[in-house]
Amino acid sequence: MSKNYRFDLFRLSLRTREQPSMFEVPMNREGWIRHLFSSQVEFTHHGATFVYIPLDPKTTFPNIVGKIGRQTLEIANRPPHEGYAEYLLEAWKAAVLVVDPTEHADGQKLALQQHGDVGKPSSLAPRLLKALEANQEWVQFLASVHPITNAEAFWDWVKKNEGKITKIRIELEVPNMFGGDDEYDREMKQFREREKAQRVAIEVENPDGINAETDRIRYTADKAMAKGTGRIKAKAKGKNNNFTSQSQQESVKIPKTDERGDGPLTIAKSMANKLLGRE
């Protein structure tokens, strides 16, 4: 008998702050991520209290592994000889977090276990990141976390709804998205340098239908989906005929056999490279 643990995948995006650093020796991106995720932090999310704890980095290097947990309360029953008397059972439920802080062509990744008793990774991951930054005396990099999405899902939706698309909105993290030297990239860089923009949104709308197959939309949409540091929302004619990249989250299943008795933490530590797509 087997069971799968499922982890949602995210990409970390870091932007250097413009203020002078208070560190004697400024950290690089990898060093900052290691520093950020190295301390325990408590935070509130949707009215519940969560606690993040990191594992000993010596046992997880080069990756970072930790757990995010919350306390749960439920009504349980005593044994039959005690008349099944009810009592309040207090317990903690925790999800496993794995971070690869090293530099790669596809960026620095984070994986968070799906755990119904803890919370949705898509809302929990950015809240944790915010709490970790708030716990620092000085924030050298401004970080954001974005779901890694199915890059082809948007274009499958566009093809299916050709001639019926009425609205497309694409949001991008400006500092990390544009590295080319064409006119469009230069325009986006100006938003970053002149307006100090962290994000730029491009929105196209026409109730009679828009053409989604232009170079501009394709280029920008591919940046958002393939690089994992943006999001897309779109609408087409028809009931509930909408698209959102947030619903296209990529996840990885890690098998668990009852015979081995391995929990998600043990498996995540031993299979971190596979989990993060580094094999």
Side-chain angles (χ1 to χ4, degrees):
M1 184 176 180
S2 64
K3 178 181 178 182
N4 291 320
Y5 294 109
R6 187 179 291 272
F7 288 75
D8 285 351
L9 301 181
F10 301 84
R11 185 169 283 110
L12 288 168
S13 174
L14 273 65
R15 181 174 69 89
T16 305
R17 298 191 68 183
E18 295 183 359
Q19 296 92 333
S21 174
M22 294 176 64
F23 292 109
E24 292 183 7
V25 180
M27 298 182 187
N28 58 19
R29 280 173 160 74
E30 178 180 343
W32 174 252
I33 293 174
R34 292 191 183 281
H35 171 76
L36 194 64
F37 285 89
S38 66
S39 59
Q40 179 174 321
V41 66
E42 180 178 309
F43 61 96
T44 302
H45 181 55
H46 292 327
T49 299
F50 291 78
V51 179
Y52 164 76
I53 59 169
L55 270 63
D56 182 352
K58 294 179 181 178
T59 67
T60 64
F61 190 85
N63 299 306
I64 302 165
V65 180
K67 280 192 169 185
I68 307 172
R70 60 177 291 188
Q71 191 175 35
T72 61
L73 301 173
E74 63 177 296
I75 300 296
N77 297 92
R78 301 291 182 187
H81 67 272
E82 296 184 28
Y84 293 123
E86 294 182 348
Y87 71 99
L88 191 62
L89 177 64
E90 299 182 14
W92 284 83
K93 303 291 186 178
V96 177
L97 173 81
V98 182
V99 182
D100 179 2
T102 58
E103 295 281 357
H104 293 273
D106 59 349
Q108 290 151 318
K109 294 181 180 180
L110 178 153
L112 182 56
Q113 180 193 355
Q114 293 182 6
H115 196 312
D117 291 325
V118 179
K120 292 183 178 180
S122 59
S123 63
L124 198 53
R127 182 63 188 89
L128 170 64
L129 189 60
K130 184 178 180 181
L132 289 170
E133 287 187 339
N135 201 38
Q136 306 301 315
E137 292 184 5
W138 170 256
V139 177
Q140 183 175 345
F141 293 93
L142 295 175
S144 57
V145 60
H146 303 269
I148 296 178
T149 55
N150 180 349
E152 295 302 320
F154 176 65
W155 296 114
D156 291 341
W157 182 86
V158 167
K159 184 177 181 180
K160 179 181 176 181
N161 292 280
E162 185 176 0
K164 300 188 296 182
I165 300 171
T166 58
K167 183 177 180 178
I168 297 176
R169 178 181 174 85
I170 306 172
E171 299 176 9
L172 295 166
E173 290 279 344
V174 175
N176 299 296
M177 295 307 296
F178 299 94
D181 195 36
D182 60 23
E183 182 179 350
Y184 188 56
D185 274 352
R186 288 195 294 270
E187 183 180 358
M188 292 298 103
K189 288 178 182 178
Q190 288 176 0
F191 277 111
R192 177 185 61 191
E193 296 166 0
R194 297 179 183 178
E195 282 76 22
K196 308 301 181 184
Q198 295 183 39
R199 298 182 182 89
V200 168
I202 299 171
E203 188 168 299
V204 183
E205 186 172 4
N206 185 345
D208 295 325
I210 61 177
N211 178 16
E213 292 284 357
T214 65
D215 290 342
R216 181 184 296 271
I217 291 181
R218 178 168 288 278
Y219 179 83
T220 313
D222 286 346
K223 289 276 190 180
M225 295 292 283
K227 296 296 184 181
T229 51
R231 63 180 65 184
I232 302 175
K233 292 183 179 181
K235 295 182 179 180
K237 297 176 183 178
K239 187 177 181 180
N240 298 324
N241 196 10
N242 300 332
F243 175 89
T244 173
S245 59
Q246 300 295 94
S247 65
Q248 305 295 324
Q249 173 93 49
E250 287 194 359
S251 61
V252 175
K253 292 188 296 184
I254 300 295
K256 177 252 184 180
T257 59
D258 291 341
E259 289 78 11
R260 287 168 52 194
D262 291 342
L265 181 61
T266 302
I267 295 173
K269 289 172 64 176
S270 63
M271 304 181 69
N273 288 336
K274 179 179 179 180
L275 180 62
L276 295 165
R278 301 306 190 200
E279 289 187 345

